[in-house]
Amino acid sequence: MPKRRPVGNLLALAVLAALVERPRHPYEIAAVLRARGKDQDMPIKWGSLYTVVANLERHGLLAAVESGRQGRRPERTVYRITDAGRAELVDWTRELVAVPEREQPRFEAGLSVLGVLGPDEALELLRQRLDRLEGQLAAQRAALAGHAREVPRIFLIEAEYDLAVREAEATWVRDLLDELTTGALPGLAEWRAWHETGAVPPEWADLADRGTEPHGDLAERGAEPH
C-alpha cells in the first residue's frame, strides 16, 4: 500500500525534485517544470503551486532562504529543500518505482460500458481512436528522437514508458478491431441482437440478474448490498 505522505499532491514531488538541484522561488519552479514538460508526466494544477510550496514548508520539507523584491514585481521568497525534504523525495520516488498501483484510465471506463453502443458504432469509434493514436504516436516518436540527440536518456525514460504504453494500447485496439471486423469476438451476435431487438439475449439473462440478489451474511441480516 502507498504511504500516506505529508503532502500527497504529485506536484509536491515535482517541486522537491526541482529544488534538489538548487534553491528557487515558486515562479522559477513553475517555469522549470513547464520547460521540462512535467505536466505531461503527472497531473498538475498550476494554481495550487503556492499552496503546495506552503504546505511543504509547514511540514519541514522546504525552508525559506530569503525574500526579495525587484522593481514593482511582487516579493519573491526563495526556498531550499531540507534534509527531511530530500529523504521524502527519495522515499517517495522509491515507492513510485517499486510498488505497482492500479490506475484506471478514462478509456478503461468507456470499455467497461461499451455494450451500450451497437457493435457497428463501437467499431467506427475504435477506428477513430486508433487513427488518432497513430498520429500521436508518430509525433511522440519524432519528439523523443529529437530530444535524445541532446538529452541523456535517463531524463527521457518517462517519455519512453509513455510511448511504450500507448503503443501497446494501439496494438490491443487493432486486435479488437480485427475481432469485430471478422466476427471472431465471442458474444458479438448476442450483442448485435440486443441492439436490434431491444431484448436481452437469453444467453445473457443470468448476467443481467447478477448482483441483484442479497448474498452471504448480508442476506442473513436482511440487508441489501450497495
Side-chain angles (χ1 to χ4, degrees):
M1 287 290 292
K3 294 182 181 179
R4 184 176 180 83
R5 299 288 168 184
V7 187
N9 188 324
L10 282 173
L11 177 54
L13 179 77
V15 169
L16 291 171
L19 291 179
V20 79
E21 299 169 356
R22 64 176 176 82
R24 307 178 194 271
H25 53 72
Y27 181 86
E28 185 182 7
I29 293 171
V32 167
L33 297 183
R34 283 194 174 97
R36 295 176 182 176
K38 286 302 174 187
D39 52 348
Q40 302 297 313
D41 304 330
M42 60 187 74
I44 288 181
K45 295 181 179 178
W46 296 108
S48 65
L49 176 64
Y50 283 86
T51 300
V52 167
V53 169
N55 287 337
L56 288 169
E57 182 184 20
R58 190 173 77 250
H59 286 282
L61 305 177
L62 300 183
V65 176
E66 61 181 359
S67 294
R69 185 192 305 272
Q70 292 183 348
R72 296 183 179 180
R73 293 180 178 177
E75 185 176 70
R76 290 178 177 172
T77 301
V78 175
Y79 294 90
R80 65 172 178 83
I81 192 170
T82 64
D83 289 342
R86 288 176 184 272
E88 173 70 1
L89 173 62
V90 170
D91 186 64
W92 200 351
T93 303
R94 284 172 176 159
E95 178 190 286
L96 289 170
V97 172
V99 181
E101 186 176 2
R102 182 71 186 275
E103 299 178 44
Q104 287 141 348
R106 287 165 51 88
F107 183 40
E108 186 174 343
L111 291 173
S112 73
V113 292
L114 188 65
V116 303
L117 305 175
D120 294 336
E121 183 180 8
L123 179 65
E124 178 56 30
L125 292 171
L126 286 166
R127 282 174 175 157
Q128 291 178 27
R129 184 181 187 89
L130 183 59
D131 286 345
R132 293 184 176 114
L133 262 176
E134 289 176 335
Q136 292 169 3
L137 287 169
Q140 275 187 269
R141 292 187 195 100
L144 185 58
H147 292 317
R149 289 193 287 270
E150 302 175 359
V151 180
R153 187 181 173 201
I154 185 61
F155 298 114
L156 296 173
I157 52 176
E158 77 279 10
E160 287 185 11
Y161 168 77
D162 182 64
L163 180 60
V165 169
R166 289 164 65 80
E167 286 177 333
E169 179 188 325
T171 297
W172 185 88
V173 172
R174 284 190 204 98
D175 291 343
L176 180 58
L177 281 170
D178 183 65
E179 289 186 271
L180 286 167
T181 302
T182 62
L185 182 72
L188 180 59
E190 291 80 7
W191 182 13
R192 189 177 301 282
W194 179 31
H195 281 271
E196 289 175 350
T197 67
V200 175
E203 298 88 345
W204 292 3
D206 289 342
L207 285 174
D209 291 334
R210 186 174 296 175
T212 61
E213 294 297 326
H215 39 116
D217 60 345
L218 287 174
E220 292 174 6
R221 290 179 290 175
E224 291 292 332
H226 295 289

